[in-house]
Amino acid sequence: MCVVCFVKALVHVFKIYLTANYTYNFRSWPVDFRWDDVRGTRAGGSSHRALTCTAAAAGVWLLQDAALGEDAPGRPLRGARSQIQCLLQQIRELPGQLASYVLAHSLGRWLVYPGSMFLMTQALLPLLQHGQERLVERYRGRRAKLVACDGNEIDTMFMDRRQDPGSEGRGLRLVICCEGNAGFYEMGCLSAPLEAGYSVLGWNHPGFGGSTGEPFPQHDANAMDVVVKYALHRLHFPPADVVIYGWSIGGFTATWATMTYPELGALVLDATFDDLVPLALKVMPQSWKGLVVRTVREHFNLNVGEQLCSYPGPVLLLRRTLDDVVSTSDHLRPLSSGDVEGNRGNELLLRLLQHRYPAVMEREGLAIVTRWLRADSLAQESAFYARYRVNDKRCLALLLSYRARCEEEQKNEEVWGPHGLPFPWLVGQGLSPRRRRQLALFLARKHLRNVETTHCSPLEPEDFQVPWRL
């Protein structure tokens, strides 16, 4: 009996040692994949090549159009300027730039990415360790260290279901999960697609968990780049079978990935926003407005809406009806059911539909979708649908007919995108106001679903779905 007890104790101690080594010594792990480990383009794979050394020094490409928007203070005037005028302008802007830099690299980073704070990581360490054990033991997760083009080491976990894909073949699809600003793959949003039966790849932001670096947009995009390349070129998933899932601030890296790799299969955005500026102004003093806008635009330009419109594939927006984090409504108490007008997901949907279907979203279409967004339950949606007598089959037939006609006219497949006929579509021209409203409601319902829960509540597995595809 003593021998048995001794063996059990020895196994327990050995398990603790392995777990501790697994958790704390990630930096000593060998590198599993680097950003430049792309040897060539395999059949059906990504067409994106590794960056050159010069490009790697600057990081991957980011949209910069909104970096100094019209509302950004100190923006230089357009037109020709003398060198002296330019120099004076730069001198005048220098104090604001310094103040913005200091704010971004101190309080700003902690507010935007609280999960990178050392104290929070230490407080969550037992939960993170338990989450790692669960993923490894229950789902046979494989941890890997990836190196991004900026040298940051990215901590990832991969759960492979391809050997047993399930009755619907969900395991053949890979869901890459992009966590929120206080989320870790050990205990984050990947639980929903994982329990739903998909293969899942989770990763931590730079500065989160075992990942090194700091979570600024450029570093986040660099990390996302190597994660996507790892999925395509090492895990060997076809791009069409890769779904990008972004929760909250993870919508930035999710939309960046689908914008940069448009051949990826689908995009799911959960409880995310279109732009960080309105949310930052909501929580900061009004007297700081100029500094806040400048800091966000120059250091945290999370232009999710702009990146979303650059992706031509299937998209699903999950709007949480009790979400007060991504809402700009002025509430003194927590949000109650039915108050969803301030949710920034509304702006995402409107922007997406206006880009893809501009003729449908003119006047009547825009007005009816704006009213439809006030519905926060299936009962209200059904009543709204019934009131305007939306015929799903007729709307679907109209879209299919338009696509077939355009593809017949444009027989040169070189002008088509990876998902077929590229956007924008001019379907809806010549429709009556009534038919335009019906088609707008049909499209809105196909691109956005309501989930009656709060911002940080775990998403139920049945609520995670692959976007609608025409």
Side-chain angles (χ1 to χ4, degrees):
M1 180 65 68
C2 293
V3 174
V4 174
C5 293
F6 175 76
V7 171
K8 288 183 177 180
L10 186 63
V11 170
H12 181 68
V13 171
F14 186 64
K15 182 178 179 180
I16 293 177
Y17 170 77
L18 288 180
T19 304
N21 185 64
Y22 184 83
T23 304
Y24 298 112
N25 294 336
F26 184 66
R27 291 192 178 183
S28 63
W29 279 38
V31 174
D32 296 279
F33 185 83
R34 288 176 49 85
W35 58 273
D36 54 357
D37 284 346
V38 181
R39 304 304 177 190
T41 303
R42 58 186 179 84
S46 173
S47 60
H48 293 262
R49 299 178 180 178
L51 297 173
T52 64
C53 295
T54 304
V60 299
W61 178 76
L62 291 179
L63 283 177
Q64 299 294 341
D65 293 345
L68 286 174
E70 293 293 339
D71 53 353
R75 185 187 184 198
L77 298 175
R78 294 180 180 179
R81 284 177 173 270
S82 68
Q83 293 184 353
I84 296 179
Q85 288 176 322
C86 291
L87 180 60
L88 292 176
Q89 181 69 26
Q90 293 175 0
I91 294 175
R92 284 194 295 266
E93 291 182 1
L94 185 59
Q97 291 176 349
L98 291 176
S100 176
Y101 180 87
V102 171
L103 177 62
H105 287 77
S106 56
L107 179 62
R109 180 168 70 88
W110 297 332
L111 290 176
V112 178
Y113 292 97
S116 64
M117 296 177 61
F118 176 77
L119 292 178
M120 175 172 285
T121 302
Q122 293 301 308
L124 295 176
L125 195 56
L127 295 177
L128 299 180
Q129 182 174 334
H130 176 72
Q132 281 188 354
E133 293 175 359
R134 172 175 171 269
L135 295 176
V136 172
E137 296 176 1
R138 181 175 177 181
Y139 297 102
R140 292 177 293 179
R142 302 205 309 263
R143 200 180 188 193
K145 176 190 288 188
L146 315 183
V147 176
C149 61
D150 53 14
N152 286 335
E153 298 173 351
I154 308 303
D155 187 3
T156 69
M157 183 73 74
F158 171 53
M159 279 64 65
D160 195 351
R161 299 284 184 78
R162 285 174 290 188
Q163 297 300 321
D164 185 18
S167 58
E168 299 180 5
R170 291 184 174 183
L172 299 177
R173 287 192 170 186
L174 175 68
V175 179
I176 300 179
C177 298
C178 304
E179 299 291 343
N181 63 357
F184 304 79
Y185 72 69
E186 293 90 341
M187 47 180 288
C189 66
L190 61 72
S191 61
L194 187 60
E195 294 178 15
Y198 295 92
S199 295
V200 175
L201 175 59
W203 61 282
N204 281 333
H205 296 282
F208 284 57
S211 298
T212 62
E214 296 180 340
F216 286 95
Q218 183 67 69
H219 297 167
D220 245 0
N222 295 343
M224 189 73 220
D225 180 64
V226 72
V227 169
V228 172
K229 288 177 178 175
Y230 175 67
L232 299 178
H233 298 278
R234 179 60 58 83
L235 302 181
H236 303 297
F237 279 89
D241 292 338
V242 176
V243 179
I244 306 296
Y245 173 39
W247 170 64
S248 189
I249 209 171
F252 169 73
T253 46
T255 53
W256 182 90
T258 51
M259 172 190 69
T260 309
Y261 296 87
E263 64 269 29
L264 296 178
L267 172 64
V268 179
L269 295 179
D270 178 12
T272 191
F273 51 86
D274 60 323
D275 189 11
L276 187 60
V277 169
L279 299 175
L281 293 176
K282 169 189 169 184
V283 299
M284 299 300 287
Q286 183 65 25
S287 59
W288 289 27
K289 180 178 179 180
L291 180 60
V292 170
V293 171
R294 178 168 200 147
T295 302
V296 171
R297 289 296 185 216
E298 293 186 351
H299 300 279
F300 300 103
N301 188 35
L302 307 183
N303 45 353
V304 178
E306 188 178 4
Q307 294 182 158
L308 173 63
C309 292
S310 299
Y311 175 58
V315 173
L316 175 63
L317 306 178
L318 299 178
R319 184 180 66 167
R320 303 193 177 204
T321 59
L322 304 179
D323 192 340
D324 60 350
V325 175
V326 297
S327 173
T328 50
S329 298
D330 186 15
H331 291 281
L332 298 178
R333 297 187 299 271
L335 287 175
S336 59
S337 179
D339 192 356
V340 292
E341 293 186 48
N343 193 298
R344 300 303 299 186
N346 301 344
E347 303 301 323
L348 272 181
L349 177 67
L350 293 175
R351 190 164 182 174
L352 178 66
L353 293 183
Q354 286 178 306
H355 167 72
R356 293 190 169 189
Y357 309 98
V360 177
M361 293 300 292
E362 288 182 355
R363 296 185 301 277
E364 298 88 357
L366 178 60
I368 201 66
V369 173
T370 302
R371 291 177 56 191
W372 176 82
L373 285 169
R374 299 172 187 170
D376 69 328
S377 65
L378 292 177
Q380 291 185 17
E381 288 183 16
S382 299
F384 207 86
Y385 236 49
R387 178 181 177 184
Y388 288 92
R389 300 180 180 180
V390 180
N391 188 315
D392 287 358
K393 291 183 179 180
R394 184 180 299 171
C395 292
L396 182 60
L398 180 62
L399 293 171
L400 291 174
S401 175
Y402 173 84
R403 185 180 67 178
R405 185 171 65 253
C406 291
E407 290 179 348
E408 180 66 23
E409 295 173 355
Q410 302 175 7
K411 294 185 177 180
N412 183 10
E413 297 186 5
E414 293 181 358
V415 302
W416 298 355
H419 300 275
L421 185 67
F423 294 106
W425 288 14
L426 299 181
V427 60
Q429 290 181 333
L431 289 180
S432 65
R434 175 172 170 269
R435 293 289 301 277
R436 187 179 292 115
R437 292 190 191 99
Q438 293 174 342
L439 186 56
L441 286 175
F442 173 81
L443 290 170
R445 202 176 192 185
K446 289 297 184 181
H447 287 84
L448 183 141
R449 288 185 58 250
N450 283 318
V451 182
E452 191 172 351
T453 186
T454 60
H455 185 81
C456 295
S457 299
L459 189 71
E460 296 296 330
E462 58 269 19
D463 289 327
F464 182 86
Q465 300 178 6
V466 175
W468 168 73
R469 183 187 299 271
L470 181 61

